[in-house]
Amino acid sequence: MAACMRRICGAGLLKSNHGIVLQQANKYSSSSTWTKSQKALCTSAGVLAGGVAALWYTLDRSVQAKDLILHPPEQDWPHKGLLGSFDHASLRRGYEVYKQVCAACHSMQYVRYRELIGVTHTEEEVKAEAAEIMVEDGPDDTGAMFKRPGKPADRFPSPYPNENAARAANNGAYPPDLSLIAAARHGGEDYLFSLLTGYCEAPAGVVLQEGQHFNPYFMGGAIGMAQAIYSESAEFGDGTPASASQIAKDVSAFLRWCSEPEHDQRKKTGLKALLMLAAFTAISIYWKRHSWSSLKSTKILYVPRKKL
Amino acid sequence: MKFKKIYLNPIMKILSSSLIKLPSPKNISLFWNFGSILGICLMTQILSGLFLAMHYVPNTEMAFQSVVHICRDVNMGWFMRIIHANGASFFFISMFIHIGRGIYYESFYLIQTWNLGVMIFLLTMASAFLGYVLPWGQMSFWGATVITNLLSAIPYLGTTLVYWIWGGFSVDNATLNRFFVFHFICPFIVLALVILHLFFLHLKGSSNPLGISSKSFKIPFTPYFLIKDIMGFMFFFCALFFITMFFPYYLGDPDNFSIANPMVTPLHIKPEWYFLFAYAILRSIPNKLGGVIALLMSILILFFLPLLKKNKIKQGSQFNLIKQNLFWMLISIFFLLTWIGAEPVEDPFIITGQILTILYFSVMIKFPSQ
């Protein structure tokens, strides 16, 4: 490998027709005394070592079944890829699924209603959505706490007052907060989609405790959450047929957006920045080549003194 | 006239002699660009870090929430956060290439410059570790627990030292507070060391790809290398922005998006990718103290490279096929160790890590004496 690298990158440096200094320097090279077969052997050893390493790596990736967990297949999300952006109609449906199904057990403590403006809802719609919840506020002038309708600046409501109450209501299992769930799980939205649609009968030999369900995508297989997504288990405002996979897809996309609300803006800004940087890079390459051209084309001629 | 007066200013004289008139070897290649790229990395980290520090709260009850607040509520806060996180990765990529170039061309002959460089490397690693703890995610907490616990391997003093660093009996609020303070101050110490690094570099002059004296043909730093460095910066920012804006969380760990929970240990605790080679070496030694010593030596061995040289000929690997083989072997070992560090502690990864650890130290020791 080293010999190959030398041939690719450094062969020009080792050629003896680059000037007298390099000719002298070449004499110090330990490889100058090597025979062709020695060099060939060395190259072969390098290529073989590289091949073995590549094979090793490939084998390692292919035997990930050792993890005792089913790896979720990659789905073709519209927001995947360099220039992909969220399907906002899907996000709106995902919010509806969250509200109708997930919010019964899961909190979303870092997401505020105002973040939906311009993404899934208009400002008026968001105000109406927020007003559906009652939020404890205060103290008022008399020092008492009071309830008021929600405002866009309020966070999504939590179904339980604290973790203990959540555990008590769910057979000891704590339904995780969903604000960052797509970022916090290996596989992201692919994992969420597979988990929501992957419930099945426990295979022979797997013993589940009371209140547990089997899902091969969940670490260990035994999950406290029952299957929540069925066909028609949610209603979409835009009339899209609510099949189980459609519901799972929309809510997974929505949860990804909740984890990365800046996603679309980030990619848009990135594209602009890269276009500008590419132009600056091209200018800087030209500038560098232009300023170095006289130095690069300089020819140094050695004229022995006696010939003068 | 005015220009002449400015030029006579002692500070301007220093700046002029280090950035304008500095005689530089004509033949240094693009690999020598990584020094200045590291400078721009440091400035990027310091600036983005300053903006993050304006909103970050170093308290266990609020640290995670404050990072979420930065990403969701602060104007362009998400940008500062991902630039800072990915900037650290690019800092280390540039640093590894910079050190690799130093080893390949045996730049460690410039002993003061080299040793200061190794100190900067160590301090940068410390700073990166401290910074990784600050978001107070699961991997932050457990990474801090594992790494600080390494000190308990020191005989007699170990446990006391660990409690002293924690500021209590576990990684807690006091630990987070002091880690934030140290993380804030570290880059400025690095900056001071960088100035010294440059001072000693400019005292003797840069090495060059031929490994011979370049006194016969030197050119002024400005405009030639200034323009070349600007070109390097452009390439660097292209790469940084590409990763940061399109794959910002690719180099991170999903576990760190869950708030630190001392009652739930993650399945695989592993550090950020740039520490994985050292982490693999640590895990390869069955004895705790031995592992810690091996971990330290994997970096400190860089100090010994100039001392391990047998002959006095200033010559790098460029004309020595054996050295080239050893060098590329070292690079392969580094990548393989990084891979092993990310794998679970089970066979065949344990034995592979042990073999690679032996090879790492053997090649490092053998390289200068060839």
Side-chain angles (χ1 to χ4, degrees):
Chain A
M1 192 157 59
C4 282
M5 286 300 293
R6 182 185 132 262
R7 282 190 187 141
I8 295 163
C9 312
L13 202 65
L14 294 173
K15 278 180 191 164
S16 56
N17 58 355
H18 272 54
I20 199 153
V21 178
L22 274 172
Q23 275 182 20
Q24 287 169 350
N26 257 349
K27 288 177 188 169
Y28 291 106
S29 171
S30 62
S31 63
S32 59
T33 54
W34 286 32
T35 62
K36 273 188 177 176
S37 56
Q38 278 174 317
K39 286 179 183 174
L41 186 70
C42 198
T43 309
S44 311
V47 170
L48 187 70
V52 168
L55 182 69
W56 199 344
Y57 180 76
T58 318
L59 281 176
D60 174 64
R61 306 313 293 175
S62 65
V63 293
Q64 280 199 341
K66 70 183 186 299
D67 285 354
L68 289 175
I69 185 174
L70 204 52
H71 289 271
E74 280 192 30
Q75 307 293 337
D76 189 20
W77 301 98
H79 55 271
K80 279 270 170 84
L82 279 183
L83 302 176
S85 63
F86 281 119
D87 173 355
H88 288 244
S90 174
L91 294 186
R92 187 178 172 115
R93 290 194 298 271
Y95 168 72
E96 288 168 351
V97 177
Y98 165 74
K99 193 177 153 190
Q100 294 169 32
V101 183
C102 315
C105 301
H106 293 273
S107 64
M108 213 181 245
Q109 58 173 320
Y110 302 123
V111 184
R112 296 169 196 268
Y113 281 99
R114 63 169 165 72
E115 292 180 57
L116 299 174
I117 298 173
V119 179
T120 57
H121 295 70
T122 62
E123 191 175 339
E124 293 309 313
E125 285 173 332
V126 166
K127 281 180 180 168
E129 281 289 321
E132 285 179 17
I133 61 164
M134 292 304 283
V135 180
E136 190 177 63
D137 206 343
D140 61 13
D141 293 342
T142 62
M145 301 302 280
F146 61 92
K147 292 264 185 185
R148 61 158 175 82
K151 291 187 285 190
D154 289 322
R155 296 170 193 274
F156 283 12
S158 293
Y160 304 106
N162 51 56
E163 187 180 331
N164 287 1
R167 283 189 189 280
N170 290 281
N171 206 24
Y174 177 55
D177 183 84
L178 295 183
S179 316
L180 300 169
I181 200 78
R185 295 289 181 271
H186 290 268
E189 55 273 45
D190 292 324
Y191 166 77
L192 297 174
F193 178 81
S194 299
L195 187 85
L196 291 172
T197 55
Y199 281 87
C200 58
E201 286 294 316
V206 175
V207 182
L208 297 172
Q209 302 298 317
E210 193 191 335
Q212 286 191 327
H213 310 270
F214 184 76
N215 193 314
Y217 294 100
F218 189 72
M219 184 64 74
I223 184 168
M225 183 176 88
Q227 183 172 356
I229 303 292
Y230 298 95
S231 291
E232 308 300 330
S233 60
E235 270 181 45
F236 293 135
D238 62 359
T240 304
S243 62
S245 60
Q246 181 71 45
I247 294 171
K249 178 205 146 211
D250 290 336
V251 78
S252 302
F254 175 68
L255 292 174
R256 167 53 74 187
W257 172 80
C258 291
S259 297
E260 287 179 54
E262 83 288 353
H263 176 279
D264 287 1
Q265 193 199 347
R266 169 165 55 73
K267 282 187 176 171
K268 200 173 160 187
T269 314
L271 187 65
K272 285 179 190 170
L274 272 184
L275 284 173
M276 268 178 59
L277 280 168
F280 285 140
T281 307
I283 292 167
S284 69
I285 293 170
Y286 176 79
W287 190 22
K288 187 258 170 189
R289 286 177 69 89
H290 177 75
S291 61
W292 277 73
S293 59
S294 58
L295 283 174
K296 288 278 185 186
S297 55
T298 304
K299 213 169 199 177
I300 300 169
L301 185 67
Y302 174 69
V303 183
R305 189 175 288 273
K306 61 183 176 183
K307 285 189 180 175
L308 284 173
Chain B
M1 194 65 186
K2 233 179 191 179
F3 181 75
K4 267 189 179 177
K5 267 187 183 173
I6 293 169
Y7 200 69
L8 287 173
N9 184 300
I11 293 171
M12 289 307 290
K13 269 185 184 176
I14 294 168
L15 283 177
S16 165
S17 61
S18 24
L19 288 174
I20 298 170
K21 288 180 178 174
L22 178 77
S24 314
K26 181 196 168 189
N27 60 337
I28 55 178
S29 68
L30 281 170
F31 280 108
W32 270 257
N33 272 44
F34 282 91
S36 61
I37 286 174
L38 280 166
I40 211 82
C41 272
L42 182 61
M43 293 322 294
T44 309
Q45 290 303 90
I46 289 178
L47 278 176
S48 56
L50 273 177
F51 283 109
L52 290 174
M54 290 173 194
H55 303 277
Y56 175 74
V57 184
N59 182 292
T60 49
E61 296 295 317
M62 295 172 77
F64 189 82
Q65 284 83 348
S66 71
V67 174
V68 173
H69 162 72
I70 288 169
C71 293
R72 302 185 90 97
D73 304 328
V74 174
N75 189 27
M76 293 298 274
W78 57 267
F79 175 72
M80 286 300 158
R81 201 263 165 121
I82 56 178
I83 275 280
H84 199 69
N86 288 291
S89 287
F90 275 79
F91 204 139
F92 278 97
I93 292 171
S94 307
M95 207 168 245
F96 289 141
I97 297 173
H98 192 61
I99 294 169
R101 190 266 298 162
I103 293 173
Y104 188 86
Y105 293 106
E106 298 198 343
S107 303
F108 44 74
Y109 283 109
L110 305 167
I111 291 177
Q112 294 99 329
T113 315
W114 177 260
N115 286 347
L116 275 162
V118 180
M119 282 182 216
I120 291 170
F121 183 42
L122 278 169
L123 209 59
T124 309
M125 288 180 102
S127 186
F129 161 68
L130 295 169
Y132 193 59
V133 179
L134 303 186
W136 208 243
Q138 269 289 69
M139 210 48 86
S140 302
F141 176 84
W142 288 100
T145 306
V146 170
I147 301 298
T148 48
N149 254 311
L150 293 179
L151 290 172
S152 67
I154 299 170
Y156 304 111
L157 287 173
T159 312
T160 315
L161 205 58
V162 173
Y163 289 158
W164 179 64
I165 283 174
W166 284 346
F169 296 99
S170 65
V171 174
D172 210 332
N173 199 47
T175 325
L176 182 64
N177 252 302
R178 60 190 59 185
F179 275 25
F180 174 61
V181 172
F182 287 130
H183 180 67
F184 197 97
I185 198 72
C186 261
F188 296 101
I189 302 172
V190 168
L191 190 62
L193 287 178
V194 166
I195 292 167
L196 280 177
H197 186 67
L198 285 175
F199 171 77
F200 282 111
L201 175 73
H202 293 170
L203 212 60
K204 291 194 175 175
S206 299
S207 58
N208 66 82
L210 281 177
I212 55 176
S213 169
S214 60
K215 281 180 185 164
S216 57
F217 207 158
K218 283 196 174 182
I219 50 175
F221 187 86
T222 302
Y224 299 107
F225 288 102
L226 181 72
I227 295 170
K228 200 177 176 182
D229 281 346
I230 289 172
M231 188 184 76
F233 296 160
M234 290 300 135
F235 276 107
F236 166 76
F237 279 120
C238 278
L240 177 66
F241 269 72
F242 180 72
I243 293 293
T244 303
M245 303 305 254
F246 295 103
F247 307 99
Y249 308 114
Y250 185 74
L251 298 168
D253 196 308
D255 280 324
N256 232 25
F257 283 96
S258 300
I259 193 165
N261 185 349
M263 304 304 285
V264 179
T265 315
L267 203 59
H268 301 300
I269 300 174
K270 61 177 184 190
E272 285 288 84
W273 71 267
Y274 36 81
F275 292 142
L276 286 175
F277 78 101
Y279 189 57
I281 290 173
L282 165 81
R283 296 191 322 188
S284 298
I285 314 290
N287 175 277
K288 192 174 181 181
L289 182 60
V292 175
I293 291 170
L295 168 79
L296 281 175
M297 284 312 295
S298 67
I299 309 296
L300 296 182
I301 198 165
L302 292 170
F303 278 123
F304 298 101
L305 290 185
L307 308 173
L308 292 167
K309 184 78 181 167
K310 275 182 185 165
N311 57 52
K312 297 287 177 196
I313 304 167
K314 276 190 179 182
Q315 191 188 27
S317 313
Q318 59 273 49
F319 306 119
N320 188 327
L321 197 57
I322 297 170
K323 270 192 178 173
Q324 283 182 20
N325 274 295
L326 285 174
F327 177 80
W328 291 110
M329 202 185 279
L330 186 67
I331 300 299
S332 311
I333 292 166
F334 176 82
F335 278 110
L336 288 171
L337 277 170
T338 300
W339 163 59
I340 290 290
E343 296 296 329
V345 191
E346 61 188 35
D347 279 325
F349 305 121
I350 297 171
I351 186 70
T352 313
Q354 287 171 337
I355 294 168
L356 287 168
T357 301
I358 294 167
L359 282 172
Y360 176 84
F361 285 109
S362 309
V363 172
M364 272 287 200
I365 292 166
K366 196 69 189 160
F367 182 83
S369 58
Q370 278 304 311

